[in-house]
Amino acid sequence: MKLLAEEKLLWSPTVVNSRMNRERNASGINSYEKEFKFKPEEFLATKISESGKASWLDLCCGVGNALIQTANYFDKRGQQNLVKLKGIDLINTFSPIEKHLTCLDFKTRSLTDWESGVAYDMITCVHGLHYLGDKLKVIEAIIKALNPDGLFIANLDISNIVIQGTNSRDFLKKYFKQNGLIYKARLRIIKRIGPANLNFPVRYLGADDECGPNYTGQDSVTSYYSI
Ligand SMILES: C[S@@+](CC[C@H](N)C(=O)[O-])C[C@H]1O[C@@H](n2cnc3c(N)ncnc32)[C@H](O)[C@@H]1O
């Protein structure tokens, strides 16, 4: 099997697939709420009531509907000045941000070699990790960028991570547990509260973009590592 380097992976038909669902809302039908069982806007509203402000970074945000819906929610409450919302995606298919929404911005870039200079109260990646090459490096960067009590939550199918020379599933579950990452295998959700400097004891080898569909039914990318 030929493993792809990051630069090549970004051009893979699996990654730029136009049939992906990029349009999830924050809550309601076809939403982040459906994935994670909480409303992002309510999480942020609680943060505001506790600490006076709140921030949310949505990685692989697609067209950014969840962020736009949330920006409108806080606009209606007259609280745009208390929230910072940011979305990052490889492809610029972002919905237009109406002029009155000042608390939101989008950035077009790959998460390859991404590091955040800023900390957030919530970092989400909804059905985005499935398409990344070095998934573990991105998870490390995310965890570093959490505020104290900040929440990271994402969909992850650990069958999309192969660690050669060991039982990948057992290795990952043990490492996640030791480092405060909660992995819900049935729901394929990974989460953690609070920042940390993780250092997965593995070396990234490359990605297979021809591994076929994962549990979502969509073609996905399997990331290969060695120990
Ligand atoms: C299935 S969509 C999910 C979009 C959005 N989170 C939603 O649920 O509506 C996956 C997104 O990951 C983005 N993506 C894939 N590889 C990426 C990369 N290396 N860096 C940043 N975004 C990436 C794709 O462009 C796509 O918009």
Side-chain angles (χ1 to χ4, degrees):
M1 178 207 330
K2 195 167 160 278
L3 295 179
L4 291 180
E6 296 288 275
E7 327 75 76
K8 292 240 168 80
L9 181 64
L10 304 182
W11 297 98
S12 156
T14 305
V15 175
V16 295
N17 176 2
S18 60
R19 294 185 314 277
M20 279 177 196
N21 183 354
R22 290 185 161 86
E23 301 186 350
R24 288 181 186 83
N25 294 307
S27 54
I29 298 161
N30 186 33
S31 69
Y32 288 16
E33 177 193 10
K34 287 266 179 289
E35 297 294 322
F36 298 151
K37 316 292 177 230
F38 70 90
K39 295 183 181 188
E41 62 273 28
E42 286 182 1
F43 177 92
L44 297 170
T46 304
K47 261 292 159 229
I48 291 174
S49 62
E50 285 166 4
S51 60
K53 56 188 171 53
S55 54
W56 175 19
L57 172 63
D58 187 24
L59 299 172
C60 302
C61 66
V63 303
N65 284 347
L67 289 164
I68 291 176
Q69 191 185 39
T70 303
N72 273 308
Y73 173 89
F74 287 106
D75 180 45
K76 285 203 184 94
R77 294 164 66 119
Q79 291 184 317
Q80 277 206 72
N81 57 328
L82 306 181
V83 281
K84 276 248 160 309
L85 307 176
K86 180 166 182 153
I88 298 181
D89 201 281
L90 176 64
I91 302 172
N92 180 351
T93 55
F94 307 125
S95 302
I97 302 177
E98 289 173 69
K99 271 218 176 88
H100 69 280
L101 297 179
T102 52
C103 61
L104 165 62
D105 72 286
F106 291 128
K107 182 152 183 80
T108 310
R109 63 156 293 162
S110 169
L111 293 179
T112 306
D113 290 328
W114 166 81
E115 279 190 21
S116 177
V118 183
Y120 292 88
D121 295 313
M122 176 165 70
I123 303 180
T124 51
C125 186
V126 177
H127 293 297
L129 292 174
H130 313 318
Y131 307 100
L132 302 186
D134 193 346
K135 302 185 202 322
L136 298 179
K137 188 174 171 194
V138 173
I139 291 173
E140 281 175 2
I142 292 171
I143 301 300
K144 221 181 261 177
L146 287 173
N147 271 333
D149 289 335
L151 169 70
F152 160 56
I153 184 159
N155 308 95
L156 174 71
D157 187 343
I158 56 172
S159 61
N160 281 137
I161 301 178
V162 173
I163 303 183
Q164 292 181 340
T166 188
N167 179 317
S168 310
R169 191 166 280 269
D170 290 350
F171 179 95
L172 287 168
K173 280 191 177 167
K174 189 169 164 206
Y175 186 84
F176 287 165
K177 200 166 178 198
Q178 281 169 351
N179 289 280
L181 283 156
I182 297 157
Y183 183 66
K184 296 189 175 169
R186 198 176 52 80
L187 298 172
R188 274 100 165 176
I189 282 179
I190 186 163
K191 62 188 230 179
R192 184 189 149 101
I193 293 174
N197 279 316
L198 304 184
N199 195 0
F200 285 97
V202 290
R203 189 168 66 86
Y204 180 59
L205 300 174
D208 174 16
D209 67 336
E210 292 181 352
C211 60
N214 64 5
Y215 80 103
T216 62
Q218 291 284 315
D219 283 343
S220 59
V221 170
T222 293
S223 312
Y224 280 76
Y225 298 84
S226 64
I227 40 176

